[in-house]
Amino acid sequence: MQIRVVPDQPWSVAADVLAVPVFAGDLAGADGEALAELDRRLGGAIGEYRRLGEVSSELFRRVMLHGQDLGAPWLLAVGAGDAAAFDRRTAYRFAAAIERRLAGLHVSRLAVWLPSSVVTSGATTTGAAAEAPMSAADLVMLVARGVTEGSYDPATIYRESYDEAPAALDELVIVVRGADVAALQAAAERGAVIGEGARVARDLANRASNDVNPEVLADAATDLAKAHGLAIDVIGPERATEMGMGLFMAVGRGSDNPPRLIVLRNGGDGEHDARGRLLALVGKGVTFDSGGISIKPSDRMEEMKMDKTGACTVIAAIVTAKRLAPDLPLLALAPAVENMPGPHSTRPGDIVKALNGKVVEVQNTDAEGRLILGDALTYAERLGATHLIDAATLTGAVERAFGKQVTGAFGTPQGWYDTVVAAGARQGERYWQIPLVDDYVRDMESWYADFQNSGPADGSLVKSGLFLREFVTRPWVHLDIAGTAYMRRPMPWAPRGATGVSHATMVELALEGANPA
Ligand code: BES
Ligand code: MN
Ligand code: ZN
């Protein structure tokens, strides 16, 4: 898909469809005049449809109108809410919702008009004082990212043809008044690359567990590494055992599909980025989580193919970062295992020793993510990581607490947590902090080991973070994406399935390291 940013008037742009945001109330100044001119060129249809209520500012309500006297034969009116509330998150979703509305239609050139009112709205994703208002470049980046991701649909992974497949665009024209078209063009291209990376993550995550096992995930990572010039090391069971990764090795024992610790790297030994960091992205890669001997109920167990999403996200994120900043030193670690019951499975009560020497009682084999992440975090530090971020579908509790729209996050020290959340906000991704309350540590005490991997259910979300904290000594943030990693039903801006959540946060965070503070 070619992207062009043009400073033209929306009615003069040649395209198959021109998408136009519909805001509550009237647009002011030049925007108001431009909208009135569009309406005139449609013989007053926009106004009539609005009075009828067919076209409205309701978020992502989409109505196709005949374009009549426009450069595009069709005008897509897209509800965009209150202009003053149009933040980065809404910008991304607005763009993805436009592209998704074109599914099944014969459209190859899409134009999106961004009136200046949205650029100057000042709305922020977090509401935090530290979050800078969205600039024209931010907006254009998010729209390009949104359109790129909006054309992703998992319905075609396992079948040849699908009627409702998203439109494959040849060209996206972003129509925006901006002083510096060249800078906006660069921002748009950056957004498209981030969107393409999210598609890689989503596609891997959506694939079935009989298709993607740890070995297949490692092969996919190897292909990506070769294609993009990243170094890769795939650690199999013999080496992992020899190194002492007892937590990692405890989980995959019940499966015929052996574990793989996937390690991707850009930059040489001892290299740091422009901020003196070597960031490690760590992702949980449980290719299927049956619970093991502590087996899960059968209801919704099929969703546990998604338990590899964190791994898919970090594999895609290091590739995206490499494309955008080829010389940036960066690490990605994806411990991949299948958690199954079987004669060789780890049992509740088994005692295992972590790579960092700590002794753990496996009280519940379904709390497996924290086991594989514990060793992966230790190993990331051994490889020289100075800063860590992990993404994991770690607990059902996080979805019960925050639902499918907010990712729960932990971190220490607070300054690093704030840095990560600010990077996420720049990409329209939203996190809420869960406290690492020391008082609960004693709930995880074990008679035989240094601690156990679960404990009483009260405060179990906090305890999942406390467990991981035992395996880090450097600035670290943990994102629990169990609620936000996949949708059970389609949204205007996303199909059912993997969402790619936190891919953009990780890329944005890593890219900070391309420039000195
Ligand atoms: N993969 C699950 C968490 C999960 C649940 C992800 C639902 C997505 C949707 C994780 O391995 C798990 O089983 N966690 C347990 C932890 C408990 C045993 C302490 C849970 O949340 O019940
Ligand atoms: Mn589990
Ligand atoms: Zn799991």
Side-chain angles (χ1 to χ4, degrees):
M1 180 179 75
Q2 292 290 316
I3 303 183
R4 237 163 13 100
V5 178
V6 302
D8 307 343
Q9 293 292 3
W11 52 85
S12 62
V13 177
D16 298 323
V17 172
L18 170 71
V20 170
V22 179
F23 292 106
D26 295 322
L27 288 179
D31 285 344
E33 285 162 30
L35 186 59
E37 177 64 19
L38 283 172
D39 194 29
R40 252 193 307 282
R41 287 168 180 258
L42 263 68
I46 301 176
E48 292 290 348
Y49 274 69
R50 243 189 128 153
R51 275 187 289 282
L52 178 67
E54 175 68 12
V55 166
S56 86
S57 64
E58 182 195 323
L59 273 181
F60 315 131
R61 183 182 178 90
R62 293 152 296 177
V63 179
M64 195 75 85
L65 303 175
H66 188 226
Q68 298 191 19
D69 197 18
L70 301 183
W74 298 96
L75 181 144
L76 181 63
V78 186
D82 207 328
F86 196 87
D87 61 359
R88 290 173 172 85
R89 186 177 173 81
T90 314
Y92 161 79
R93 290 183 169 183
F94 164 76
I98 291 170
E99 167 63 12
R100 281 179 56 71
R101 176 61 178 76
L102 307 180
L105 305 183
H106 304 286
V107 174
S108 62
R109 277 189 309 172
L110 167 68
V112 180
W113 178 45
L114 302 171
S116 17
S117 319
V118 297
V119 181
T120 54
S121 84
T124 57
T125 295
T126 56
E131 189 187 332
M134 179 165 61
S135 67
D138 295 337
L139 173 62
V140 164
M141 182 271 291
L142 286 160
V143 166
R145 187 186 136 212
V147 170
T148 305
E149 288 195 46
S151 68
Y152 177 69
D153 197 305
T156 49
I157 297 179
Y158 294 113
R159 34 184 175 202
E160 295 289 303
S161 70
Y162 180 68
D163 288 349
E164 296 293 303
L169 298 179
D170 295 331
E171 193 179 34
L172 168 64
V173 186
I174 301 177
V175 187
V176 61
R177 289 300 170 98
D180 188 350
V181 173
L184 297 186
Q185 178 73 33
E189 277 157 19
R190 179 163 168 268
V193 170
I194 298 174
E196 283 164 15
R199 294 175 55 118
V200 171
R202 294 165 81 166
D203 218 32
L204 278 172
N206 280 322
R207 282 165 64 185
S209 299
N210 65 333
D211 173 9
V212 176
N213 58 39
E215 208 175 334
V216 171
L217 192 60
D219 289 346
T222 304
D223 290 347
L224 286 165
K226 280 197 186 123
H228 296 278
L230 294 165
I232 183 162
D233 183 20
V234 177
I235 300 175
E238 293 77 22
R239 257 173 82 205
T241 305
E242 205 176 291
M243 285 190 216
M245 297 184 175
L247 300 193
F248 173 65
M249 286 306 298
V251 179
R253 305 182 58 88
S255 168
D256 275 347
N257 297 308
R260 294 284 186 270
L261 175 57
I262 303 162
V263 183
L264 292 151
R265 178 173 205 138
N266 197 44
D269 231 10
E271 263 184 59
H272 291 136
D273 67 20
R275 300 200 175 188
R277 301 175 189 154
L278 177 60
L279 176 65
L281 316 174
V282 182
K284 172 178 174 182
V286 177
T287 62
F288 187 72
D289 181 13
S290 69
I293 297 298
S294 313
I295 198 161
K296 289 180 179 296
S298 57
D299 190 40
R300 284 199 180 150
M301 204 202 268
E302 80 284 356
E303 287 184 9
M304 288 303 118
K305 72 169 187 175
M306 292 294 189
D307 217 20
K308 61 187 181 300
T309 306
C312 303
T313 304
V314 303
I315 292 167
I318 192 171
V319 170
T320 307
K322 173 76 179 176
R323 290 182 65 192
L324 293 169
D327 299 325
L328 182 73
L330 191 61
L331 286 170
L333 290 91
V337 299
E338 188 178 50
N339 189 22
M340 297 288 269
H344 303 289
S345 289
T346 292
R347 295 147 287 239
D350 282 3
I351 308 277
V352 288
K353 191 168 184 181
L355 180 60
N356 74 350
K358 296 192 179 182
V359 180
V360 176
E361 178 181 354
V362 180
Q363 197 257 353
N364 188 324
T365 66
D366 198 11
E368 84 297 341
R370 60 195 75 180
L371 297 176
I372 64 171
L373 286 172
D375 278 347
L377 290 166
T378 302
Y379 191 58
E381 289 197 4
R382 292 221 179 143
L383 293 176
T386 61
H387 292 72
L388 304 132
I389 178 170
D390 77 75
T393 46
L394 205 68
T395 68
V398 81
E399 182 176 346
R400 288 193 290 278
F402 299 124
K404 304 203 73 65
Q405 300 297 332
V406 180
T407 299
F410 304 70
T412 174
Q414 192 61 32
W416 177 239
Y417 177 87
D418 294 341
T419 298
V420 171
V421 169
R426 292 201 294 278
Q427 287 289 342
E429 294 197 304
R430 189 157 59 187
Y431 299 97
W432 199 264
Q433 188 167 14
I434 301 149
L436 290 159
V437 185
D438 292 321
D439 309 55
Y440 299 164
V441 169
R442 54 152 49 136
D443 280 2
M444 303 178 81
E445 277 172 5
S446 157
W447 284 101
Y448 303 97
D450 293 330
F451 45 87
Q452 57 181 39
N453 73 333
S454 66
D458 55 292
S460 67
L461 182 53
V462 173
K463 289 170 198 163
S464 69
L466 291 174
F467 184 93
L468 293 178
R469 197 182 62 176
E470 295 290 334
F471 301 92
V472 292
T473 64
R474 308 206 172 129
W476 154 76
V477 163
H478 159 55
L479 308 176
D480 192 337
I481 58 172
T484 50
Y486 58 94
M487 295 293 158
R488 293 195 181 94
R489 51 194 172 81
M491 298 289 163
W493 64 88
R496 182 191 149 96
T499 59
V501 71
S502 82
H503 170 268
T505 298
M506 289 193 170
V507 171
E508 187 74 29
L509 180 70
L511 290 183
E512 274 189 9
N515 302 301

